[in-house]
Structures are given as structure tokens and as C-alpha cells.
């Protein structure tokens, strides 16, 4: 850094030192930063629009070509190539050089790889092995970029220390920048270019050669969109056209997937092609995170079966009852199976960074090819003329070979011989020197016929090259033919499927909405905590044609919410929260007319919501915007009716303000507000009163007194009973009944807390109505050894009962005495009661 004087007095320079120049520190920093910025932009981060290479990539390919590492030669250690590049042309770190080499060799990163790698060259998830373990050589496509370097087709410049020459740009017979793309971050700018299909780009370039005035629409007939190395789908052709026109745009990449059936009602989603730059391990990690966080449902397992024979094979196992297309839509929405690619076509043109559209990129490449072919033709013309001149001299010498030999033998030195050959034979100085440099045995062995044939061929070449350099149309035709040969030899079929339309509409569109109609359905919750959706139309026979009884392997339905397939329902929890879930995310089970839910068809409700420690799911809510609302009861005897004011956003909604130590023990969604609420106390008491006695409150309210509890007592059951029987099912609906159970057996028994030891069924009409906040009447006489009533349920019969494992429990016959102790439980302790939901 320059030193700054603090005094204006002139100080003469010291002997042996340079002149001290006054400069502002601000100016010095700005100047240094601009120099640094230019260096990063020009010498490191941005590619040249002509050959599509950054300096490090260009030097790697040049060094390998100069070392003869062609496709027909053996592989060499990558460390050797890195050392040559670093020592001769690129004085930077070996790791940076090797990282640049690795990308050129990766088929999932390059549409047309330029280095043929042997060994572990990495994957989208993992880096390559160290350079001492891998080997490399150039691919045939790389020769398209380097061929012609020995024909003065491009300018050469000094390397970093001036000891060697290196090309400022490669001849590039292939439109590498468009085909392979690139990415880089400079100072104040960046580039991110997407790969394309070689055949399509060449066709567009040839069309532009023949029709320089072609517009973007003409070129897009040949290049409809990018073609990614990993295949997959590309969404949003509107954005692609914008990127081709302006050089900037955003496209959406999507994996290719197949949905197929598996045994036992399951299905599979097989991913065969991933988005560009996305690896299988990254997808698996994201899916595990979402499943653990309960933000993605229906995934039972995921396996990565990818290998060299099968290619990409990422298989997701979908649980029974879940729609595979719906799960796939969620995978697209939530995981890297669908990602954006921001196109930013920034490249160097004449040393200046420019943002280029499709036509501009093709024009820069074609202008470079015109310059390369012109310079190559001039070089070849000069070489042909020089050779023709020498051959003419040889023919003249052979016509009088004896005289030539005498002149040479009679001369005292080479200078005298040269002068005599020029004077006596008529050779030029160059021809005479060439004759003198040849060995005599070679000179006399030359055949005139062969030399005349060679001279004729050379004259034809000279004429052709002369006409080529004078006729621009012929020059362009030669370039077009060479491009066609490149496409024929190195082109491959398109891999990426292009999906037309507006990107925003495509991204927001759910695939599941195309597969599943938005039809009415029921969401049911079982006593074992299983949840599922079921259609409204009953299907009484299964696939084998046998009737469904629903009692051998079913548990009890404790809550039902009527909604639509693409709607939402709420899970009411003991913490006084309602958790929103999508109906389409739930497994589907066949419609049944029993009060049971197949354990094989449902899924644990806890999989669909993030529950806090100790929190349990009690009931369902349809989240209706109108109606009498949701009725709740807490363990401390508080009741509440919640008005249907559901917020638009938020997965969790608090519906009651609980006191410390309290929790919700029951929740029922009311149909018309004329139901009766029935509360059961652990002391064996029952209280019934109209739901209208509870004034509706907002979600933040704490409710009001429901039942008067004795010291140490708590509410163990809560129900809402509709006393009006539906008119269309009067012939099958029984009178409302009450099911109660005493339990909490004496110490030493293995049934555990909450298990019933006795139970009974009593008509609801046996219990008189009383006012809210009173103590109620006795409904269960506790037997010796029973500490409390553990369960109470009221509703229309027939009632269904189940044990904790989901096995059915046979209820005793209806018992007329309201305060009796009921029948002893034999082998399966009662834990849940419900009724048919249809």
C-alpha cells in the first residue's frame, strides 16, 4: 500500500528508493478493489461466450491436449494433470483446479462431459475421491474444443510467468456454453446457465447461419427448451421464452415418477429421474424430516435402489388407504423432487460481461466459428502455397538432376551452391535451400509422377481455400456442414420432458386434485386413535364377496366429521387445541354401515399432527363456519360451547383457556344446539341438561361450570345426545342408552388404571334432567374393590364397545335400574364405547 505524507513539504526521494506518491486511502482502496473485481470477473468466475469456458477449465483442457491425453491414449493420474496445470498455466490451489476438473467429468453435471474419468468422480450427494486415486483423459467431445490450436486459429498469450504460451480462447467447434451450461459468482454479478441438447442447439445455429434475420420464435422451433443431464420434467415454458429473450428467468424442475400398486392395498412411488443438481440422499433426508415433523403423511418406507444397471431408482412405499398421486403431489410440494432453476445468462463478450439471450449466444458462437474457420483456412492456404512452391522446385531440380549434382559437388560451400542453383537452374532461394537440405539419396529417389500428382492436389486445395476466403456464403456453408457432423457424431436424444404453460399455475396446481374428486365423505376416529376417510355410499361386500361384519377385528368409532375429500377437519385434543389436517392426506377405507373402523385401513391420528407431551386426540371437528359449534367438557367439570370462528391460517387453534392441572376429557360437534349434554363423574354420578343452557363463547374464553364435583372427584365421560330420531331411520334406531363402568381394581390386579371391572347399560330415560352446575344423580353403584367409575357414555343404541387393543367387547343387556352395579367384566376390560355413524 502506498504511504501517505502528512506534510505538504516536498521530500526528495532517498537514494535506492522509488518516488513517494501522495494518494488518498479511499482512492487507493477503490482502485485496488476495482482491479480485484476485474480479475475475478475476467480471470475466474465468468465464462467466455465463445468457447463457454472459464480460464481454469480452458487451461485444464489445453494442458491435457498438449500432453496428448486423447481418448485413444491410456488414463493418467488426475494428480499429474492438476500438477501440470498448476505449474504451467494456473497458479492457484490444487483443490480448486481438481474441483473444476471433476465437474467436467460428471455426466450428471455436464450434458456432454469433456473429461473421461476413471474411478470415483462423485455423485450429486458426495464429492469425488482425491486426485491421487482417480484417473482421466479427454473425451472425443473435448477434442471439438481443442482441435485447431496448431493452425493459428486463436490468439496465444503468455502464461503467468511468461515462460509458456496459452490460448486466450479455444477454437470450440461445439456450442459448449449452451450445451453444458455453467455457474459462477463474481463481484457484483453472477452467472447461472442451464444445459441444452447438442442436436437442438446445432440445428438452431445452422438455421441462424442460413437466416441471420431469424427471430426468437424461429430459433425456438429448434430449441424448445433446456435439456438437463439428469432428465426429469421442466415446467413453465413461458418463463423459458422470457429467459431466451432477456437472458433471465426461472424454470421449475420436477422429478420423473411412476405410481404403482403393491400388495395389501399399498402403493409405490418410484423416482427414475431427479431434478438437475439434486441427489437421492438429499431427498431421503428431507422426507425423513417431514415425516418426523408430521408434515408429510402416508410414507411407510423409502429405499434407494440406484445402481449402474438400473440407474436412478428411489422407491417410496405408500401406506394402505393413501392415494399415491396425492402423496406424490405432496412430495413435489415439500421436497427437492421439485426445485427452481434461476437462469442468468451472463458471459464475457469482448472482455465485457453481458447478459445474453438465446439468439445473442448463438450469434457470438457463430461469429467465433467464422473467425476460427477463416484463420484456419488462411493458415492452410499459406501452408499449401508453401508446399506447392517447394514441390515445384523439386520438379525443376529432378528434370536436370545431373546438373544439380554437379553444381553441388563443384561448390565450395552451401552459399555458393545456393547461388549457383538459383542462377543456373532457376530455383528460388527457398527452393534452393530445400534442395540443399535434402539428403542426396532422398533427392534421387523422388518420383516425378508422385510429385506432379501432389502438386495438382495442392493447386486444387489452394483454389478451394482461396474461393472459401473470398466467398462468405461458402464459408458459412462449411461451418454449417461441420456443425452437422458434430451433432451426428456426438448428439444424443432429448432427456428432459417439457411441460408447457404458465409456471405459477403449474406449481400451484395439485396433482391430487386431478386424481381425486372433491366429493362428500366422512372422517372417522376410532377408540384406538385411528383416523381415516370413508365415502358416504356403503359397500357391504369386500373384494372376496363376503359380508363385512366389522366385529372380529374392528374397534369403536368415537367421533365422525362430515366434510369433502379436499376439505379440512380438526383434531380436538386434551390440551384444548384443534389441529387442522387435510382430508386428502388421510387413508381411505371402504364405506361400511357398522360402527367400526378397520384397524388395517386407518392410520394413527398422531401421525398427522404434532402433539405435545401427554396430549391426546379426543374427537373430530368439521370446522364448519355456521352452526351451534363445538361442545367441550374438562376433567374439573367445566363445559363450553365454542362459536364457529375458525381462523383462515394456522395449523393449531386454542378453543378453551384451561386452568392449571385441567384438561379436556370430551368434545362433541353439535348438529342443531338442541342436544342434551351428559356428564359423568368418577363418584358414579350422571348429570344431563340441555346444550342451550351453555352460552356460546369465543375461542379464548374459559367456559362455565358444568357439574358440581365432590372433593377429589373428576369427570370421566362426556356425551351429547340428540333426542330427535331421524325420520328415515326410525325403524332401526333404538332409544338413547347410558353405558357406565366401574373400575380401578384393587392392588395386585394386572388390568391397570382405567380398566373396567363391571359395566351396565341403562336407558337414558331413567335419569331425570337437572340444572347445569348441579351434582346430578347416581348412575353406577361401585362394587367392593372398585375405587371409582372409569367410563361413561350416552347415545343412541345399539352401542359398540371395545377393549384397549381394539377387540370387541360384548355389552350386557339393557338394565332398568339406574343406580345398579351392573355385570362383572370377564376377560376383556372395557375402555371405549361408540355407536354406528350411519
Amino acid at each position: 500500500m502506498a504511504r501517505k505524507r502528512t506534510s505538504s513539504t516536498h521530500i526528495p526521494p532517498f537514494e535506492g528508493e522509488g518516488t513517494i506518491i501522495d494518494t488518498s486511502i479511499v482512492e487507493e482502496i477503490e482502485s485496488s478493489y476495482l482491479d480485484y473485481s476485474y480479475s475475478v470477473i475476467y480471470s475466474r468466475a465468468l465464462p467466455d461466450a465463445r468457447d463457454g469456458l472459464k480460464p481454469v477449465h480452458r487451461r485444464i483442457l489445453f494442458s491435457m491436449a498438449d500432453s496428448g491425453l486423447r481418448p485413444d491414449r491410456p488414463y493418467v493420474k488426475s494428480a499429474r494433470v492438476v500438477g501440470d496445470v498448476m505449474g504451467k498455466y494456473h497458479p492457484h490451489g490444487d483443490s480448486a483446479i481438481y474441483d473444476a476438473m471433476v465437474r467436467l467429468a460428471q455426466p450428471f453435471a455436464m450434458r456432454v462431459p469433456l473429461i473421461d474419468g476413471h474411478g470415483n468422480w462423485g455423485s450429486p450427494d458426495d464429492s469425488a475421491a482425491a486426485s491421487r486415486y482417480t484417473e482421466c483423459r479427454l473425451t472425443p467431445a473435448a477434442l471439438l474444443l481443442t482441435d485447431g490450436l496448431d493452425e493459428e486459429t486463436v490468439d496465444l498469450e503468455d502464461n503467468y510467468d511468461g515462460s509458456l504460451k496459452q490460448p486466450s480462447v479455444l477454437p470450440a467447434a461445439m456450442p459448449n456454453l449452451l450445451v453444458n451450461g455453467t455457474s459462477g459468482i463474481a463481484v457484483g454479478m453472477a452467472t447461472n446457465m442451464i444445459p441444452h441438447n447438442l442436436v437442438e442447439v446445432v440445428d438452431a445455429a445452422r438455421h441462424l447461419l442460413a437466416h441471420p434475420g431469424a427471430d426468437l420464435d424461429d430459433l425456438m422451433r429448434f430449441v424448445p427448451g433446456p435439456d438437463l443431464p439428469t432428465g426429469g420434467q421442466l415446467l413453465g415454458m413461458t418463463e423459458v421464452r422470457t429467459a431466451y429473450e432477456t437472458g433471465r428467468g426461472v424454470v421449475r424442475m420436477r422429478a420423473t415418477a411412476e405410481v404403482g400398486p403393491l400388495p395389501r392395498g399399498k402403493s409405490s412411488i418410484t423416482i427414475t429421474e431427479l431434478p438437475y443438481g439434486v441427489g437421492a440422499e438429499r431427498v431421503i433426508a428431507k422426507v425423513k424430516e417431514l415425516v418426523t415433523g408430521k408434515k408429510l403423511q402416508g410414507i411407510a418406507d423409502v429405499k434407494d435402489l440406484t445402481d449402474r444397471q438400473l440407474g436412478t431408482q428411489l422407491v417410496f412405499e405408500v401406506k394402505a388407504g393413501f392415494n399415491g398421486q396425492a402423496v406424490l403431489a405432496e412430495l413435489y410440494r415439500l421436497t427437492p423432487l421439485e426445485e427452481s432453476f434461476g437462469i442468468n445468462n451472463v458471459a464475457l463478450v469482448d472482455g465485457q460481461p453481458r447478459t445474453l439471450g438465446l439468439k445473442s449466444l448463438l450469434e457470438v458462437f457463430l461469429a467465433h466459428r467464422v473467425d476460427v474457420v477463416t484463420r484456419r483456412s488462411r493458415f492452410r492456404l499459406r501452408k499449401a502455397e508453401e508446399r506447392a512452391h517447394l514441390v515445384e522446385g523439386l520438379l525443376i531440380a529432378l528434370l536436370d538432376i545431373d546438373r544439380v549434382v554437379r553444381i553441388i559437388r563443384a561448390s565450395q560451400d552451401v552459399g555458393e551452391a545456393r547461388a549457383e542453383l538459383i542462377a543456373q537452374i532457376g530455383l528460388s532461394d527457398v527452393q534452393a535451400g530445400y534442395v540443399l537440405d535434402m539428403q542426396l539419396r532422398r533427392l534421387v529417389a523422388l518420383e516425378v509422377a508422385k510429385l506432379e500428382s501432389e502438386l495438382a492436389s495442392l493447386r486444387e486445395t489452394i483454389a478451394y481455400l482461396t474461393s472459401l476466403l473470398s466467398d462468405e456464403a461458402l464459408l458459412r456453408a462449411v461451418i454449417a456442414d461441420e456443425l452437422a457432423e458434430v451433432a451426428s457424431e456426438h448428439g444424443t436424444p432429448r432427456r428432459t420432458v417439457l411441460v408447457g404453460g404458465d409456471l405459477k399455475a403449474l406449481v400451484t396446481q395439485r396433482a391430487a386434485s386431478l386424481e381425486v374428486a372433491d366429493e362428500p365423505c366422512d372422517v372417522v376416529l376410532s377408540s384406538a386413535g385411528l383416523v381415516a376417510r370413508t365415502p358416504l355410499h356403503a359397500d357391504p361386500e369386500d373384494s372376496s364377496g363376503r359380508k363385512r361384519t366389522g366385529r372380529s377385528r374392528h374397534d369403536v368409532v368415537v367421533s365422525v366429521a362430515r366434510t369433502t375429500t379436499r376439505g379440512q377437519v380438526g383434531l380436538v385434543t386434551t390440551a384444548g387445541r384443534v389441529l387442522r389436517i387435510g382430508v386428502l392426506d388421510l387413508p381411505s377405507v371402504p364405506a361400511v354401515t357398522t360402527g367400526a373402523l378397520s384397524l388395517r385401513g386407518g392410520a394413527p391420528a398422531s401421525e398427522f399432527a404434532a402433539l405435545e407431551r401427554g396430549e391426546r386426540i379426543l374427537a373430530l371437528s368439521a370446522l364448519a363456519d355456521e352452526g351451534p359449534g363445538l361442545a367441550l367438557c374438562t376433567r374439573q367439570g367445566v363445559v363450553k360451547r365454542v362459536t364457529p370462528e375458525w381462523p383462515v391460517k394456522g395449523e393449531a387453534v386454542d378453543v378453551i383457556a384451561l386452568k392449571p392441572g385441567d384438561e379436556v376429557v370430551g368434545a362433541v360437534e353439535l348438529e342443531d344446539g338442541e342436544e342434551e349434554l351428559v356428564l359423568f363423574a368418577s363418584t358414579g354420578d350422571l348429570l344431563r341438561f340441555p346444550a342451550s343452557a351453555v352460552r356460546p363463547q369465543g375461542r379464548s374464553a374459559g367456559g362455565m361450570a358444568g357439574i358440581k364435583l365432590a372433593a377429589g372427584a373428576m369427570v370421566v365421560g362426556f356425551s351429547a345426545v340428540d333426542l330427535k330420531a331421524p325420520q328415515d331411520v326410525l325403524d332401526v334406531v333404538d332409544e338413547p342408552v347410558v353405558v357406565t363402568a366401574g373400575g380401578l381394581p384393587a392392588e395386585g390386579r394386572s388390568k391397570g388404571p382405567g380398566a373396567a371391572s363391571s359395566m351396565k347399560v341403562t336407558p337414558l330415560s331413567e335419569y331425570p334432567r337437572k340444572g347445569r352446575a348441579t351434582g346430578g344423580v347416581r348412575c353406577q353403584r361401585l362394587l367392593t374393590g372398585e375405587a371409582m367409575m372409569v367410563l361413561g357414555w350416552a347415545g343412541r343404541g345399539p352401542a359398540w364397545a371395545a377393549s384397549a387393543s381394539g377387540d370387541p367387547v360384548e355389552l350386557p343387556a339393557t338394565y332398568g335400574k339406574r343406580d345398579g352395579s351392573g355385570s362383572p367384566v370377564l376377560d376383556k376390560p372395557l375402555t371405549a364405547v361408540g355407536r354406528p355413524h350411519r
Side-chain angles (χ1 to χ4, degrees):
M1 181 181 293
R3 290 177 291 177
K4 182 179 178 181
R5 290 193 333 206
T6 58
S7 173
S8 60
T9 304
H10 175 69
I11 300 177
F14 294 102
E15 184 177 354
E17 294 186 8
T19 302
I20 299 175
I21 302 175
D22 288 335
T23 181
S24 167
I25 188 67
V26 175
E27 294 177 358
E28 180 67 21
I29 291 176
E30 288 178 350
S31 175
S32 300
Y33 188 73
L34 286 174
D35 292 342
Y36 165 74
S37 301
Y38 180 78
S39 175
V40 171
I41 292 170
Y42 185 76
S43 303
R44 187 179 305 176
L46 297 185
D48 193 299
R50 294 171 292 178
D51 61 5
L53 298 172
K54 301 177 186 178
V56 62
H57 298 128
R58 186 179 303 115
R59 291 162 183 170
I60 289 171
L61 296 179
F62 173 67
S63 178
M64 294 180 69
D66 190 53
S67 300
L69 304 182
R70 302 173 62 86
D72 55 350
R73 303 288 178 85
Y75 293 97
V76 300
K77 284 290 185 182
S78 301
R80 171 181 164 184
V81 175
V82 170
D84 286 344
V85 173
M86 181 169 57
K88 294 179 178 179
Y89 309 110
H90 198 71
H92 297 277
D94 58 335
S95 60
I97 297 173
Y98 185 56
D99 288 344
M101 262 186 68
V102 166
R103 183 183 183 275
L104 297 180
Q106 292 177 330
F108 53 84
M110 302 283 285
R111 188 61 180 82
V112 179
L114 302 178
I115 289 180
D116 180 9
H118 184 253
N120 177 14
W121 286 82
S123 71
D125 294 303
D126 298 317
S127 58
S131 60
R132 62 183 179 273
Y133 297 120
T134 60
E135 298 175 334
C136 64
R137 62 187 179 189
L138 294 176
T139 63
L143 300 182
L144 299 174
L145 301 180
T146 59
D147 281 352
L149 284 172
D150 55 349
E151 295 182 301
E152 300 179 358
T153 54
V154 294
D155 294 332
L156 299 179
E157 59 187 15
D158 290 336
N159 68 339
Y160 65 93
D161 62 358
S163 61
L164 297 170
K165 293 290 184 179
Q166 63 185 12
S168 59
V169 65
L170 295 185
M174 175 183 75
N176 178 61
L177 187 57
L178 273 168
V179 172
N180 281 321
T182 189
S183 63
I185 301 176
V187 178
M189 63 186 67
T191 184
N192 199 33
M193 304 185 68
I194 198 166
H196 291 79
N197 185 273
L198 174 61
V199 177
E200 295 174 354
V201 174
V202 165
D203 289 344
R206 296 182 66 205
H207 179 79
L208 189 59
L209 268 176
H211 307 86
D215 58 16
L216 180 59
D217 291 329
D218 293 334
L219 297 178
M220 287 190 68
R221 290 191 293 109
F222 303 97
V223 185
D227 187 24
L228 305 176
T230 54
Q233 304 175 45
L234 206 65
L235 312 180
M237 292 300 100
T238 304
E239 287 293 329
V240 169
R241 193 189 188 286
T242 300
Y244 285 168
E245 183 176 12
T246 66
R248 295 176 183 270
V250 178
V251 295
R252 194 78 171 173
M253 305 175 294
R254 175 179 283 182
T256 300
E258 300 175 0
V259 179
L262 289 177
R264 298 182 180 180
K266 299 181 180 180
S267 58
S268 67
I269 299 173
T270 303
I271 308 298
T272 56
E273 294 174 340
L274 290 167
Y276 183 48
V278 175
E281 292 182 11
R282 178 180 164 197
V283 175
I284 293 174
K286 183 63 176 179
V287 169
K288 289 182 177 179
E289 175 188 338
L290 292 171
V291 171
T292 302
K294 304 188 183 302
K295 295 182 179 179
L296 178 64
Q297 288 81 37
I299 301 294
D301 192 16
V302 56
K303 299 177 182 177
D304 186 6
L305 305 180
T306 301
D307 59 25
R308 293 187 177 181
Q309 286 72 34
L310 294 175
T312 300
Q313 291 285 318
L314 187 59
V315 182
F316 296 92
E317 182 181 316
V318 181
K319 296 177 181 178
F322 283 83
N323 183 278
Q325 292 291 345
V327 175
L328 177 59
E330 288 299 285
L331 287 172
Y332 282 145
R333 186 174 69 89
L334 299 172
T335 73
L337 291 180
E338 184 174 302
E339 283 208 335
S340 296
F341 187 100
I343 298 175
N344 188 24
N345 296 337
V346 178
L348 295 174
V349 180
D350 296 330
Q352 300 297 321
R354 286 179 51 193
T355 302
L356 305 172
L358 175 62
K359 184 176 181 180
S360 300
L361 285 167
L362 290 172
E363 287 175 338
V364 172
F365 167 73
L366 291 175
H368 177 56
R369 285 304 299 166
V370 169
D371 181 61
V372 166
V373 174
T374 300
R375 296 178 63 162
R376 184 187 67 190
S377 300
R378 289 173 180 166
F379 176 83
R380 291 177 178 178
L381 176 60
R382 187 177 78 250
K383 291 296 183 182
E385 290 173 341
E386 291 175 354
R387 178 60 183 170
H389 185 61
L390 295 177
V391 171
E392 289 172 350
L394 290 175
L395 287 172
I396 293 173
L398 288 177
L399 291 176
D400 202 355
I401 186 64
D402 294 335
R403 188 178 178 187
V404 169
V405 172
R406 287 197 302 269
I407 291 173
I408 295 174
R409 293 183 62 184
S411 300
Q412 298 295 322
D413 53 30
V414 174
E416 182 181 348
R418 184 193 302 272
E420 291 299 323
L421 287 175
I422 294 174
Q424 299 185 32
I425 305 298
L427 298 179
S428 68
D429 184 71
V430 174
Q431 291 171 334
Y434 184 68
V435 170
L436 290 172
D437 289 340
M438 292 186 66
Q439 294 178 349
L440 183 61
R441 59 185 177 85
R442 289 183 57 200
L443 181 61
V444 299
L446 292 175
E447 299 180 14
V448 174
K450 289 184 179 180
L451 289 175
E452 289 178 343
S453 176
E454 182 184 358
L455 181 60
S457 176
L458 288 170
R459 286 173 176 170
E460 290 180 1
T461 300
I462 292 170
Y464 168 73
L465 291 174
T466 302
S467 63
L468 181 65
L469 290 171
S470 61
D471 188 346
E472 185 178 353
L474 181 58
L475 182 68
R476 289 178 173 269
V478 169
I479 296 173
D481 292 341
E482 291 180 353
L483 287 174
E485 185 177 354
V486 167
S488 175
E489 293 182 1
H490 303 279
T492 55
R494 166 170 281 277
R495 299 174 186 172
T496 301
V497 177
L498 303 177
V499 182
D502 180 70
L503 177 60
K504 183 177 180 181
L506 289 168
V507 171
T508 56
Q509 175 179 293
R510 294 283 300 276
S513 65
L514 302 177
E515 300 291 334
V516 181
D518 192 18
E519 297 177 345
C521 66
D522 279 345
V523 176
V524 288
L525 176 69
S526 79
S527 61
L530 301 179
V531 66
R533 58 183 168 90
T534 177
L536 296 184
H537 302 290
D539 181 15
E541 295 189 0
D542 60 15
S543 59
S544 63
R546 295 191 295 261
K547 292 286 184 178
R548 297 181 184 268
T549 63
R551 296 189 63 82
S552 60
R553 50 183 173 85
H554 294 66
D555 66 343
V556 172
V557 172
V558 296
S559 184
V560 180
R562 183 148 296 180
T563 180
T564 60
T565 311
R566 283 191 250 130
Q568 287 187 325
V569 295
L571 303 178
V572 186
T573 74
T574 54
R577 299 194 302 161
V578 175
L579 308 177
R580 293 176 182 267
I581 61 172
V583 176
L584 195 59
D585 294 334
L586 302 176
S588 176
V589 298
V592 294
T593 55
T594 66
L597 176 66
S598 172
L599 290 173
R600 294 186 179 182
S606 57
E607 290 189 4
F608 304 91
L611 300 178
E612 298 175 353
R613 182 182 297 274
E615 187 177 15
R616 294 176 292 108
I617 296 172
L618 297 173
L620 300 172
S621 170
L623 302 177
D625 294 329
E626 298 179 353
L630 188 69
L632 306 169
C633 181
T634 75
R635 190 167 299 281
Q636 296 178 4
V638 175
V639 293
K640 180 181 178 181
R641 282 179 57 186
V642 185
T643 54
E645 298 175 357
W646 306 107
V648 177
K649 297 182 179 180
E651 296 181 356
V653 179
D654 291 327
V655 292
I656 185 173
L658 294 173
K659 296 179 180 179
D662 200 4
E663 66 175 5
V664 178
V665 295
V668 180
E669 196 154 50
L670 304 178
E671 294 184 4
D672 54 15
E674 298 181 7
E675 295 90 345
E676 285 198 353
L677 304 182
V678 184
L679 285 68
F680 299 86
S682 60
T683 52
D685 296 321
L686 177 151
L687 174 64
R688 57 181 288 202
F689 56 84
S692 58
V694 183
R695 175 175 50 85
Q697 297 176 305
R699 290 181 289 107
S700 60
M704 57 187 66
I707 185 173
K708 185 178 181 181
L709 298 173
M714 60 185 175
V715 175
V716 295
F718 174 70
S719 301
V721 182
D722 186 2
L723 300 180
K724 304 184 306 299
Q727 295 299 317
D728 55 342
V729 290
L730 281 174
D731 56 335
V732 297
V733 175
D734 292 341
E735 292 297 321
V737 296
V738 172
V739 179
T740 57
L744 205 62
E747 295 181 1
R749 301 187 62 178
S750 61
K751 293 181 180 179
S757 55
S758 65
M759 58 184 176
K760 71 182 182 69
V761 179
T762 313
L764 180 62
S765 58
E766 291 293 320
Y767 302 95
R769 296 180 181 87
K770 299 189 70 174
R772 180 181 60 83
T774 61
V777 297
R778 184 184 297 277
C779 64
Q780 177 80 12
R781 186 180 298 275
L782 300 178
L783 298 175
T784 303
E786 291 182 332
M788 57 183 288
M789 189 169 77
V790 295
L791 183 144
W793 176 88
R796 289 193 173 274
W800 289 72
S803 65
S805 63
D807 295 327
V809 175
E810 194 73 28
L811 291 174
T814 302
Y815 181 59
K817 192 174 181 180
R818 71 185 188 191
D819 61 348
S821 57
S823 305
V825 174
L826 299 178
D827 55 348
K828 295 177 181 177
L830 177 68
T831 58
V833 181
R835 64 172 298 271
H837 71 278
R838 303 237 176 87

